[in-house]
Amino acid sequence: MLLDNALLLSLLPAAVVVGFSTGEETTANVCQDFQIPVNITSTRFLLNIEIEDNWDAVDSIFNATRRDTLTTFQPVTGNITVAARYNIGATFCTPELGGKKSETVLLLTHGSMQGREFVPYWNPTFNGSDRYNFVQHALNTGYSVFLYDRIGNGQSSRPDPISEVQYQPQVEILSTLANLVKDKQSPYTLGVKVNKIVHVGHSFGSFIVLSSTINSPVGLIDGVILTGFSGVFTWLGLFTTGGQARVAALSQPSKWGSLLHGYLTPVDIYALSYGGFKSPYFDHDVAQSLFDQQYPVAIGEQLTAGTTVLNLSAIQVPVQVGSHPVSELNFSTLAMVVGS
Ligand SMILES: *[C@@H]1O[C@H](CO)[C@@H](O)[C@H](O)[C@H]1NC(C)=O
Ligand SMILES: *[C@@H]1O[C@H](CO)[C@@H](O)[C@H](O)[C@H]1NC(C)=O
Ligand SMILES: *[C@@H]1O[C@H](CO)[C@@H](O)[C@H](O)[C@H]1NC(C)=O
Ligand SMILES: *[C@@H]1O[C@H](CO)[C@@H](O)[C@H](O)[C@H]1NC(C)=O
Ligand SMILES: *[C@@H]1O[C@H](CO)[C@@H](O)[C@H](O)[C@H]1NC(C)=O
Ligand SMILES: *[C@@H]1O[C@H](CO)[C@@H](O)[C@H](O)[C@H]1NC(C)=O
């Protein structure tokens, strides 16, 4: 069942956004991009999945969502523990005026199809998106922000989408990054001595945040915000089939031709929209922006998400859960969560 649940999270585009009140002053904030080498040791699952072409992509989705999938679909054949090194594309931003709140970092973990930058929600660039901009709003409210591309996306390493881009390595990478951000000598925080970290996850990113928080030593993480996430997976099968996955390299050879065939993408803008937009409550331009800027999804991370049992009672820090898109986050609530 969890495997199915995991797959459901797969092709979730950002949900429809509802903006903050406008009229805030945009101050000069300081941002820097980094390429961070990260060494991890993690479990990897052996998956008996092979995707050559779109027939395989469709059959995989069929297998993962069929009525009797719980008993007929068991792609995990074993596991190994592997050490690996990845490059992580990341950005740290802090308000120019600094202040106490800036020592609190919002550590953002994006969902499927997204990256840290070219996304319709963290830091959108489409016309009229200013009022939906989470990063700018966080900075203007005084918080620092750390964004990164999960492996398989953006400027981070793009290893094998079946054997390597899996849930457990993504969790280990996030835990490593949290330690790097909170290190008082961190080369990645522009000199800010970080004393609080609040994880902010969206969709599949929320799922990764939960596992990383559970594994973290007491004191490393100070709060957790899970967006695009309800913990209810009843409709994940609809969501997954609705995405109509195709092999990214075959869909857009000029853009994704070099990607291995386990990287998948929705067949068209309408399949993408099905998972996250409800007519008539969104601008088609927003869906277009997401479609144009999406990153293909590695099927390995979807199939392995359900393999970890999350012990939620092990979480000792405040958690805000909502299915709201990130742009709707209430920053007064955030201040209460982190006690600042
Ligand atoms: C990461 O691993 C590489 C070898 O793969 C090693 O040279 C480097 O020192 C390691 N870095 C850390 C921070 O452990
Ligand atoms: C789907 O499952 C069947 C077994 O039920 C298997 O033979 C087939 O290879 C699977 N398809 C893919 C693409 O993995
Ligand atoms: C990995 O495989 C071992 C041996 O088959 C099994 O005991 C263990 O539970 C597996 N680990 C995970 C995380 O599934
Ligand atoms: C941006 O949106 C505004 C308001 O809808 C419109 O007037 C303007 O022409 C748009 N600009 C571009 C470049 O599309
Ligand atoms: C879950 O976490 C709680 C709190 O740390 C602990 O008491 C309990 O034993 C854990 N349960 C499992 C199954 O690990
Ligand atoms: C934000 O949260 C605060 C504290 O719970 C509440 O008073 C306020 O009404 C909320 N604002 C919005 C726009 O929901």
Side-chain angles (χ1 to χ4, degrees), residues 83-335:
R85 173 167 231 222
Y86 299 111
N87 280 314
I88 302 298
T91 304
F92 182 81
C93 294
T94 195
E96 192 181 33
L97 297 177
K100 198 162 163 28
K101 271 201 233 168
S102 68
E103 292 165 15
T104 296
V105 170
L106 308 181
L107 202 174
L108 312 187
T109 300
H110 62 79
S112 297
M113 299 175 58
Q114 321 291 344
R116 77 186 192 280
E117 204 168 355
F118 306 109
V119 294
Y121 55 103
W122 297 142
N123 202 7
T125 51
F126 58 84
N127 188 21
S129 65
D130 308 15
R131 68 201 184 100
Y132 303 125
N133 193 308
F134 180 87
V135 170
Q136 284 309 318
H137 189 75
L139 290 167
N140 293 347
T141 314
Y143 296 101
S144 297
V145 179
F146 182 92
L147 310 90
Y148 73 103
D149 293 322
R150 295 200 281 101
I151 54 166
N153 298 59
Q155 272 74 57
S156 291
S157 306
R158 280 210 178 84
D160 189 293
I162 296 176
S163 65
E164 230 173 313
V165 185
Q166 296 192 353
Y167 178 72
Q168 286 70 20
Q170 299 280 20
V171 170
E172 286 304 319
I173 289 166
L174 177 56
S175 300
T176 305
L177 291 174
N179 276 294
L180 283 174
V181 167
K182 216 163 188 181
D183 183 343
K184 299 287 187 227
Q185 310 299 322
S186 179
Y188 307 116
T189 59
L190 297 173
V192 174
K193 306 239 176 287
V194 173
N195 68 40
K196 286 183 179 168
I197 292 180
V198 176
H199 276 307
V200 181
H202 174 245
S203 186
F204 196 79
S206 292
F207 211 52
I208 291 169
V209 159
L210 272 181
S211 192
S212 177
T213 303
I214 289 168
N215 297 345
S216 293
V218 173
L220 179 63
I221 303 305
D222 299 277
V224 174
I225 295 174
L226 308 174
T227 69
F229 183 86
S230 64
V232 176
F233 300 108
T234 315
W235 299 281
L236 202 54
L238 278 174
F239 183 59
T240 304
T241 47
Q244 286 294 302
R246 299 289 187 271
V247 173
L250 302 175
S251 291
Q252 289 197 51
S254 57
K255 196 169 172 187
W256 295 322
S258 63
L259 291 183
L260 292 171
H261 288 195
Y263 282 104
L264 304 178
T265 182
V267 63
D268 59 24
I269 187 176
Y270 309 104
L272 173 147
S273 298
Y274 175 85
F277 297 100
K278 175 72 185 82
S279 290
Y281 305 109
F282 68 98
D283 291 340
H284 294 169
D285 291 352
V286 176
Q288 189 67 52
S289 167
L290 174 55
F291 189 73
D292 293 343
Q293 300 180 53
Q294 67 177 307
Y295 292 118
V297 174
I299 194 170
E301 69 177 19
Q302 307 299 325
L303 294 176
T304 51
T307 50
T308 294
V309 177
L310 299 174
N311 181 3
L312 298 181
S313 31
I315 297 182
Q316 303 292 326
V317 297
V319 179
Q320 177 178 310
V321 185
S323 57
H324 297 293
V326 277
S327 310
E328 275 181 20
L329 268 188
N330 181 333
F331 276 76
S332 331
T333 315
L334 177 61

Side-chain angles (χ1 to χ4, degrees), residues 43 45 78-80 307-308:
T43 299
F45 289 92
N79 66 75
I80 49 177
T307 50
T308 294

